[in-house]
Amino acid sequence: MVKKAVKKKDYEFLSHEMHYLETAGVISSEEKEKILNTYEIKPGSSFIQIVLTIGALLLGIGVLSFVASNWMYLHKGIKFFLIIAGIIGFQQAGLRLEATYPKTARSLHYIGLLIFGAGIFLVEQMFNLSINFNNSFLLWALGTILIGYYLKDVLILLFTTLLLFIYINGSMFLDETAYPFAILIFLPALYWMLKEFRFPKRFTFSLNALAINTIILLLFEFVPKIIDAYEEEIVLSILFVLGLALAYLPVPEQVQKITHLQGHLLHGITALFLTYHYSIIFAIAYLIFLLYLVNKGSLISIAIICALILRYYMDFSFDFLPKSLVFIIAGIILIGFGFFFEHQRKKGETNHEE
């Protein structure tokens, strides 16, 4: 059985409660140990790790700045040697210290990855290679994903998603004929790693955002080339359906909350834009759906309802009603929903007592 990772404070609370139940004679000592052995403390960012990470970033930037400022005075052979030596040297030093000083070792790996990324751009400049900047970020991401997986480091994989964000958005900005299809290889690989890493929340959020960003860009790129009319409505409608699907997609429990939240955000944002294209019937139907979600306890739906009301207020009433009215309406809505949730909670407590 795979142990469930929980925060340290949650594990301590659980341990305290198990001790209480053992003392009260509800469970035996063996049962207590058996239950506690199904959990493990989730590794978190310590103060030392934060200091070392910031130190690694500063050192890496300092070294790169020094090399860059003296770059023109160095021979090509020396330049290339410095880059390769920097990458291998810091990664090798990190590997040697991994067992005895794991946090320091991790910071050395970070410096090595910074030099690797800077080295890509410097080598292009050194040998006059004509490569678009987005492809350079793709090469950088290739190195970070391999090192991140080897070290089992979530921070490096988060950095990988950032590099891929720049790659795909940069590709579309450059309007290339070669589309960023490499992302279609990276995404499955990263989702596979997500499972291997036991679904860390920050990585899940950034990876889902990267996947949504990719779909949005590809839709806006290819739909107008296939269909001659109503391109924007079609793209927004597809994204709206995608958001609804994400909100109810059966995913592993560890990523369910984040994935469903991102789904609600996606269909909420696209619905606001769709109200400019569809009749008021769409807005009314969507509002009813949101009220259904609120009744189910969805807090994000309240924010979407407020945004929807604000959208129509700005559209129809801006010239006729005082601006303060929007704050009054928003305040009344929030207080009303707050009262509703408190009433529901109080009702639940009463039923529980009964």
Side-chain angles (χ1 to χ4, degrees):
M1 179 180 178
V2 179
K3 291 186 177 182
K4 184 177 182 180
V6 296
K7 293 179 181 177
K8 185 180 178 182
K9 64 177 183 180
D10 294 333
Y11 185 85
E12 289 174 347
F13 172 77
L14 188 64
S15 178
H16 176 76
E17 290 300 305
M18 290 299 109
H19 178 71
Y20 167 74
L21 293 174
E22 181 190 14
T23 307
V26 177
I27 60 174
S28 64
S29 177
E30 291 75 18
E31 289 173 325
K32 170 192 165 189
E33 293 302 321
K34 186 177 179 181
I35 294 171
L36 288 177
N37 282 335
T38 59
Y39 296 89
E40 66 178 1
I41 298 175
K42 188 186 300 182
S45 299
S46 66
F47 176 73
I48 296 174
Q49 184 64 60
I50 294 170
V51 169
L52 286 169
T53 301
I54 295 173
L57 289 174
L58 293 176
L59 179 59
I61 292 170
V63 170
L64 293 174
S65 176
F66 174 78
V67 173
S69 61
N70 295 279
W71 193 246
M72 65 184 74
Y73 305 111
L74 299 176
H75 187 270
K76 284 185 179 180
I78 296 175
K79 295 174 183 177
F80 193 70
F81 172 78
L82 286 175
I83 294 169
I84 298 299
I87 296 170
I88 297 176
F90 278 104
Q91 295 296 351
Q92 188 66 24
L95 290 174
R96 284 182 177 276
L97 293 176
E98 195 71 44
T100 50
Y101 297 96
K103 293 182 173 62
T104 304
R106 200 51 57 99
S107 65
L108 295 176
H109 287 301
Y110 296 160
I111 298 173
L113 284 175
L114 282 176
I115 295 176
F116 171 66
I120 291 172
F121 292 97
L122 292 174
V123 166
E124 289 172 9
Q125 184 189 45
M126 191 165 50
F127 295 104
N128 296 318
L129 300 176
S130 179
I131 301 176
N132 288 326
F133 78 95
N134 55 310
N135 289 324
S136 303
F137 280 97
L138 179 66
L139 288 175
W140 196 354
L142 183 62
T144 58
I145 193 173
L146 294 175
I147 297 294
Y149 176 70
Y150 177 77
L151 297 174
K152 303 295 181 192
D153 192 305
V154 174
L155 191 60
I156 293 178
L157 292 181
L158 282 172
F159 185 59
T160 302
T161 58
L162 174 64
L163 295 176
L164 291 174
F165 267 113
I166 299 173
Y167 161 65
I168 59 171
N169 289 288
S171 299
M172 292 302 183
F173 176 75
L174 289 173
D175 193 24
E176 294 180 328
T177 53
Y179 299 105
F181 289 128
I183 193 70
L184 301 180
I185 299 173
F186 274 83
L187 279 175
L190 287 169
Y191 271 109
W192 176 76
M193 288 185 190
L194 184 68
K195 184 179 179 183
E196 289 287 304
F197 281 51
R198 298 185 185 179
F199 308 105
K201 291 180 180 177
R202 289 174 297 170
F203 186 30
T204 302
F205 183 87
S206 63
L207 187 52
N208 284 342
L210 178 65
I212 292 170
N213 189 179
T214 302
I215 293 170
I216 291 172
L217 289 176
L218 292 178
L219 284 174
F220 274 108
E221 183 67 25
F222 288 108
V223 168
K225 293 178 179 176
I226 300 171
I227 302 169
D228 293 331
Y230 304 110
E231 302 96 340
E232 194 172 340
E233 290 90 333
I234 292 171
V235 171
L236 288 172
S237 298
I238 293 173
L239 292 174
F240 177 72
V241 173
L242 176 65
L244 291 174
L246 277 177
Y248 296 97
L249 193 68
V251 292
E253 184 182 353
Q254 299 93 327
V255 298
Q256 194 175 74
K257 190 174 180 181
I258 293 174
T259 304
H260 289 180
L261 174 65
Q262 289 176 297
H264 285 303
L265 285 173
L266 182 60
H267 73 67
I269 293 170
T270 51
L272 287 175
F273 285 104
L274 282 172
T275 56
Y276 289 98
H277 297 282
Y278 293 155
S279 69
I280 191 70
I281 296 174
F282 171 79
I284 294 172
Y286 185 63
L287 179 62
I288 294 171
F289 171 66
L290 290 175
L291 291 173
Y292 163 77
L293 293 179
V294 170
N295 190 42
K296 293 288 184 183
S298 172
L299 293 175
I300 188 69
S301 298
I302 296 175
I304 300 173
I305 289 173
C306 290
L308 192 65
I309 292 171
L310 180 63
R311 168 255 181 276
Y312 278 102
Y313 169 79
M314 297 292 288
D315 197 27
F316 295 121
S317 305
F318 190 77
D319 295 331
F320 305 104
L321 297 176
K323 297 178 180 64
S324 58
L325 188 62
V326 69
F327 297 103
I328 296 172
I329 294 173
I332 292 172
I333 291 172
L334 289 176
I335 291 172
F337 280 123
F339 172 77
F340 172 77
F341 278 116
E342 187 178 17
H343 176 71
Q344 290 294 97
R345 183 172 297 176
K346 191 174 181 181
K347 187 178 175 183
E349 289 174 356
T350 304
N351 292 337
H352 181 70
E353 288 172 1
E354 290 173 355

mmCIF file of all heavy atoms in Angstrom, residues 183-207:
data_model
loop_
_atom_site.group_PDB
_atom_site.id
_atom_site.type_symbol
_atom_site.label_atom_id
_atom_site.label_comp_id
_atom_site.label_asym_id
_atom_site.label_seq_id
_atom_site.Cartn_x
_atom_site.Cartn_y
_atom_site.Cartn_z
ATOM 1 N N ILE A 183 5.614 20.476 -27.870
ATOM 2 C CA ILE A 183 4.903 20.500 -26.588
ATOM 3 C C ILE A 183 4.022 19.258 -26.432
ATOM 4 O O ILE A 183 3.744 18.814 -25.312
ATOM 5 C CB ILE A 183 4.037 21.787 -26.493
ATOM 6 C CG1 ILE A 183 3.537 22.010 -25.053
ATOM 7 C CG2 ILE A 183 2.861 21.734 -27.429
ATOM 8 C CD1 ILE A 183 4.604 22.391 -24.100
ATOM 9 N N LEU A 184 3.596 18.681 -27.559
ATOM 10 C CA LEU A 184 2.737 17.502 -27.512
ATOM 11 C C LEU A 184 3.519 16.265 -27.053
ATOM 12 O O LEU A 184 2.924 15.240 -26.727
ATOM 13 C CB LEU A 184 2.108 17.252 -28.888
ATOM 14 C CG LEU A 184 1.262 18.412 -29.429
ATOM 15 C CD1 LEU A 184 0.694 18.068 -30.794
ATOM 16 C CD2 LEU A 184 0.140 18.760 -28.458
ATOM 17 N N ILE A 185 4.833 16.351 -27.065
ATOM 18 C CA ILE A 185 5.668 15.278 -26.501
ATOM 19 C C ILE A 185 5.946 15.565 -25.032
ATOM 20 O O ILE A 185 5.922 14.671 -24.188
ATOM 21 C CB ILE A 185 6.984 15.162 -27.292
ATOM 22 C CG1 ILE A 185 6.677 14.821 -28.754
ATOM 23 C CG2 ILE A 185 7.899 14.112 -26.666
ATOM 24 C CD1 ILE A 185 7.896 14.843 -29.654
ATOM 25 N N PHE A 186 6.193 16.850 -24.733
ATOM 26 C CA PHE A 186 6.522 17.221 -23.352
ATOM 27 C C PHE A 186 5.329 17.008 -22.411
ATOM 28 O O PHE A 186 5.499 16.556 -21.279
ATOM 29 C CB PHE A 186 6.970 18.684 -23.294
ATOM 30 C CG PHE A 186 8.424 18.878 -23.575
ATOM 31 C CD1 PHE A 186 8.898 18.942 -24.873
ATOM 32 C CD2 PHE A 186 9.340 18.968 -22.539
ATOM 33 C CE1 PHE A 186 10.242 19.115 -25.147
ATOM 34 C CE2 PHE A 186 10.690 19.136 -22.791
ATOM 35 C CZ PHE A 186 11.138 19.213 -24.109
ATOM 36 N N LEU A 187 4.132 17.379 -22.865
ATOM 37 C CA LEU A 187 2.974 17.322 -21.965
ATOM 38 C C LEU A 187 2.700 15.909 -21.439
ATOM 39 O O LEU A 187 2.554 15.724 -20.222
ATOM 40 C CB LEU A 187 1.738 17.892 -22.662
ATOM 41 C CG LEU A 187 1.623 19.420 -22.680
ATOM 42 C CD1 LEU A 187 0.413 19.858 -23.507
ATOM 43 C CD2 LEU A 187 1.510 19.979 -21.269
ATOM 44 N N PRO A 188 2.627 14.878 -22.319
ATOM 45 C CA PRO A 188 2.412 13.521 -21.782
ATOM 46 C C PRO A 188 3.531 13.091 -20.834
ATOM 47 O O PRO A 188 3.270 12.436 -19.817
ATOM 48 C CB PRO A 188 2.377 12.642 -23.036
ATOM 49 C CG PRO A 188 2.005 13.562 -24.138
ATOM 50 C CD PRO A 188 2.617 14.872 -23.791
ATOM 51 N N ALA A 189 4.770 13.489 -21.177
ATOM 52 C CA ALA A 189 5.903 13.119 -20.315
ATOM 53 C C ALA A 189 5.768 13.771 -18.939
ATOM 54 O O ALA A 189 5.997 13.128 -17.897
ATOM 55 C CB ALA A 189 7.211 13.537 -20.977
ATOM 56 N N LEU A 190 5.362 15.040 -18.920
ATOM 57 C CA LEU A 190 5.217 15.744 -17.641
ATOM 58 C C LEU A 190 4.047 15.181 -16.828
ATOM 59 O O LEU A 190 4.118 15.088 -15.601
ATOM 60 C CB LEU A 190 5.027 17.239 -17.893
ATOM 61 C CG LEU A 190 6.288 17.988 -18.338
ATOM 62 C CD1 LEU A 190 5.946 19.393 -18.828
ATOM 63 C CD2 LEU A 190 7.294 18.070 -17.194
ATOM 64 N N TYR A 191 2.963 14.820 -17.520
ATOM 65 C CA TYR A 191 1.835 14.228 -16.784
ATOM 66 C C TYR A 191 2.207 12.860 -16.214
ATOM 67 O O TYR A 191 1.740 12.487 -15.130
ATOM 68 C CB TYR A 191 0.608 14.108 -17.698
ATOM 69 C CG TYR A 191 -0.253 15.350 -17.680
ATOM 70 C CD1 TYR A 191 -0.308 16.194 -18.782
ATOM 71 C CD2 TYR A 191 -0.982 15.694 -16.542
ATOM 72 C CE1 TYR A 191 -1.091 17.343 -18.752
ATOM 73 C CE2 TYR A 191 -1.758 16.837 -16.512
ATOM 74 C CZ TYR A 191 -1.810 17.664 -17.619
ATOM 75 O OH TYR A 191 -2.567 18.805 -17.571
ATOM 76 N N TRP A 192 3.036 12.125 -16.936
ATOM 77 C CA TRP A 192 3.521 10.850 -16.400
ATOM 78 C C TRP A 192 4.370 11.092 -15.145
ATOM 79 O O TRP A 192 4.248 10.377 -14.156
ATOM 80 C CB TRP A 192 4.341 10.133 -17.473
ATOM 81 C CG TRP A 192 4.949 8.860 -16.986
ATOM 82 C CD1 TRP A 192 4.324 7.660 -16.774
ATOM 83 C CD2 TRP A 192 6.312 8.669 -16.595
ATOM 84 N NE1 TRP A 192 5.219 6.732 -16.289
ATOM 85 C CE2 TRP A 192 6.443 7.321 -16.173
ATOM 86 C CE3 TRP A 192 7.442 9.495 -16.574
ATOM 87 C CZ2 TRP A 192 7.649 6.785 -15.737
ATOM 88 C CZ3 TRP A 192 8.649 8.955 -16.136
ATOM 89 C CH2 TRP A 192 8.730 7.624 -15.725
ATOM 90 N N MET A 193 5.221 12.135 -15.203
ATOM 91 C CA MET A 193 6.041 12.474 -14.029
ATOM 92 C C MET A 193 5.167 12.934 -12.865
ATOM 93 O O MET A 193 5.501 12.708 -11.698
ATOM 94 C CB MET A 193 7.038 13.578 -14.383
ATOM 95 C CG MET A 193 8.153 13.121 -15.279
ATOM 96 S SD MET A 193 9.353 14.426 -15.546
ATOM 97 C CE MET A 193 10.322 13.689 -16.854
ATOM 98 N N LEU A 194 4.066 13.603 -13.189
ATOM 99 C CA LEU A 194 3.147 14.062 -12.130
ATOM 100 C C LEU A 194 2.706 12.886 -11.262
ATOM 101 O O LEU A 194 2.661 12.974 -10.032
ATOM 102 C CB LEU A 194 1.941 14.728 -12.788
ATOM 103 C CG LEU A 194 0.904 15.372 -11.871
ATOM 104 C CD1 LEU A 194 1.497 16.578 -11.180
ATOM 105 C CD2 LEU A 194 -0.328 15.777 -12.657
ATOM 106 N N LYS A 195 2.413 11.774 -11.925
ATOM 107 C CA LYS A 195 2.009 10.577 -11.187
ATOM 108 C C LYS A 195 3.188 9.992 -10.421
ATOM 109 O O LYS A 195 3.055 9.569 -9.272
ATOM 110 C CB LYS A 195 1.449 9.551 -12.169
ATOM 111 C CG LYS A 195 0.909 8.306 -11.507
ATOM 112 C CD LYS A 195 0.345 7.343 -12.535
ATOM 113 C CE LYS A 195 -0.178 6.081 -11.850
ATOM 114 N NZ LYS A 195 -0.675 5.095 -12.854
ATOM 115 N N GLU A 196 4.346 10.002 -11.066
ATOM 116 C CA GLU A 196 5.547 9.465 -10.425
ATOM 117 C C GLU A 196 5.911 10.259 -9.174
ATOM 118 O O GLU A 196 6.452 9.719 -8.207
ATOM 119 C CB GLU A 196 6.727 9.510 -11.403
ATOM 120 C CG GLU A 196 6.619 8.517 -12.538
ATOM 121 C CD GLU A 196 6.879 7.098 -12.077
ATOM 122 O OE1 GLU A 196 7.952 6.861 -11.515
ATOM 123 O OE2 GLU A 196 5.996 6.228 -12.270
ATOM 124 N N PHE A 197 5.616 11.569 -9.210
ATOM 125 C CA PHE A 197 5.943 12.452 -8.084
ATOM 126 C C PHE A 197 4.803 12.523 -7.057
ATOM 127 O O PHE A 197 4.825 13.361 -6.174
ATOM 128 C CB PHE A 197 6.237 13.869 -8.597
ATOM 129 C CG PHE A 197 7.609 14.033 -9.172
ATOM 130 C CD1 PHE A 197 8.094 13.163 -10.142
ATOM 131 C CD2 PHE A 197 8.442 15.050 -8.757
ATOM 132 C CE1 PHE A 197 9.355 13.314 -10.679
ATOM 133 C CE2 PHE A 197 9.708 15.214 -9.288
ATOM 134 C CZ PHE A 197 10.154 14.338 -10.252
ATOM 135 N N ARG A 198 3.779 11.695 -7.239
ATOM 136 C CA ARG A 198 2.626 11.645 -6.324
ATOM 137 C C ARG A 198 1.823 12.947 -6.321
ATOM 138 O O ARG A 198 1.422 13.458 -5.260
ATOM 139 C CB ARG A 198 3.053 11.286 -4.908
ATOM 140 C CG ARG A 198 3.693 9.911 -4.802
ATOM 141 C CD ARG A 198 3.983 9.569 -3.374
ATOM 142 N NE ARG A 198 4.712 8.304 -3.278
ATOM 143 C CZ ARG A 198 5.113 7.763 -2.148
ATOM 144 N NH1 ARG A 198 4.868 8.398 -1.013
ATOM 145 N NH2 ARG A 198 5.754 6.631 -2.141
ATOM 146 N N PHE A 199 1.673 13.544 -7.461
ATOM 147 C CA PHE A 199 0.755 14.659 -7.686
ATOM 148 C C PHE A 199 0.977 15.876 -6.769
ATOM 149 O O PHE A 199 0.072 16.277 -6.035
ATOM 150 C CB PHE A 199 -0.691 14.185 -7.535
ATOM 151 C CG PHE A 199 -1.018 12.973 -8.362
ATOM 152 C CD1 PHE A 199 -1.143 11.721 -7.768
ATOM 153 C CD2 PHE A 199 -1.195 13.079 -9.718
ATOM 154 C CE1 PHE A 199 -1.436 10.592 -8.527
ATOM 155 C CE2 PHE A 199 -1.499 11.962 -10.487
ATOM 156 C CZ PHE A 199 -1.621 10.719 -9.888
ATOM 157 N N PRO A 200 2.162 16.484 -6.782
ATOM 158 C CA PRO A 200 2.340 17.727 -5.997
ATOM 159 C C PRO A 200 1.431 18.839 -6.537
ATOM 160 O O PRO A 200 1.258 18.974 -7.760
ATOM 161 C CB PRO A 200 3.828 18.069 -6.204
ATOM 162 C CG PRO A 200 4.245 17.303 -7.408
ATOM 163 C CD PRO A 200 3.375 16.094 -7.492
ATOM 164 N N LYS A 201 0.871 19.636 -5.645
ATOM 165 C CA LYS A 201 -0.165 20.603 -6.019
ATOM 166 C C LYS A 201 0.339 21.677 -6.977
ATOM 167 O O LYS A 201 -0.301 22.008 -7.971
ATOM 168 C CB LYS A 201 -0.752 21.259 -4.768
ATOM 169 C CG LYS A 201 -1.576 20.298 -3.929
ATOM 170 C CD LYS A 201 -2.136 20.998 -2.698
ATOM 171 C CE LYS A 201 -2.962 20.024 -1.870
ATOM 172 N NZ LYS A 201 -3.460 20.648 -0.629
ATOM 173 N N ARG A 202 1.501 22.282 -6.643
ATOM 174 C CA ARG A 202 2.012 23.382 -7.475
ATOM 175 C C ARG A 202 2.327 22.895 -8.885
ATOM 176 O O ARG A 202 2.060 23.571 -9.876
ATOM 177 C CB ARG A 202 3.275 23.974 -6.838
ATOM 178 C CG ARG A 202 3.015 24.757 -5.567
ATOM 179 C CD ARG A 202 4.317 25.185 -4.938
ATOM 180 N NE ARG A 202 5.116 24.020 -4.545
ATOM 181 C CZ ARG A 202 6.374 24.072 -4.147
ATOM 182 N NH1 ARG A 202 6.986 25.242 -4.091
ATOM 183 N NH2 ARG A 202 7.029 22.986 -3.805
ATOM 184 N N PHE A 203 2.897 21.709 -8.975
ATOM 185 C CA PHE A 203 3.229 21.134 -10.275
ATOM 186 C C PHE A 203 1.949 20.808 -11.047
ATOM 187 O O PHE A 203 1.860 21.047 -12.270
ATOM 188 C CB PHE A 203 4.084 19.885 -10.062
ATOM 189 C CG PHE A 203 4.618 19.276 -11.331
ATOM 190 C CD1 PHE A 203 4.895 20.059 -12.444
ATOM 191 C CD2 PHE A 203 4.849 17.919 -11.414
ATOM 192 C CE1 PHE A 203 5.386 19.496 -13.614
ATOM 193 C CE2 PHE A 203 5.339 17.336 -12.570
ATOM 194 C CZ PHE A 203 5.610 18.133 -13.673
ATOM 195 N N THR A 204 0.941 20.289 -10.352
ATOM 196 C CA THR A 204 -0.344 19.985 -10.996
ATOM 197 C C THR A 204 -0.965 21.241 -11.585
ATOM 198 O O THR A 204 -1.413 21.253 -12.740
ATOM 199 C CB THR A 204 -1.322 19.374 -9.970
ATOM 200 O OG1 THR A 204 -0.750 18.204 -9.423
ATOM 201 C CG2 THR A 204 -2.647 19.020 -10.626
ATOM 202 N N PHE A 205 -0.978 22.315 -10.788
ATOM 203 C CA PHE A 205 -1.586 23.573 -11.247
ATOM 204 C C PHE A 205 -0.858 24.121 -12.471
ATOM 205 O O PHE A 205 -1.483 24.488 -13.470
ATOM 206 C CB PHE A 205 -1.566 24.600 -10.113
ATOM 207 C CG PHE A 205 -2.221 25.900 -10.465
ATOM 208 C CD1 PHE A 205 -3.583 26.071 -10.302
ATOM 209 C CD2 PHE A 205 -1.478 26.947 -10.988
ATOM 210 C CE1 PHE A 205 -4.197 27.263 -10.642
ATOM 211 C CE2 PHE A 205 -2.079 28.143 -11.342
ATOM 212 C CZ PHE A 205 -3.439 28.305 -11.168
ATOM 213 N N SER A 206 0.469 24.178 -12.407
ATOM 214 C CA SER A 206 1.229 24.763 -13.515
ATOM 215 C C SER A 206 1.135 23.889 -14.757
ATOM 216 O O SER A 206 1.062 24.410 -15.881
ATOM 217 C CB SER A 206 2.696 24.959 -13.110
ATOM 218 O OG SER A 206 3.304 23.706 -12.841
ATOM 219 N N LEU A 207 1.103 22.571 -14.587
ATOM 220 C CA LEU A 207 1.018 21.673 -15.743
ATOM 221 C C LEU A 207 -0.349 21.771 -16.411
ATOM 222 O O LEU A 207 -0.447 21.817 -17.648
ATOM 223 C CB LEU A 207 1.298 20.232 -15.288
ATOM 224 C CG LEU A 207 1.405 19.176 -16.376
ATOM 225 C CD1 LEU A 207 2.386 19.597 -17.456
ATOM 226 C CD2 LEU A 207 1.830 17.840 -15.784
#
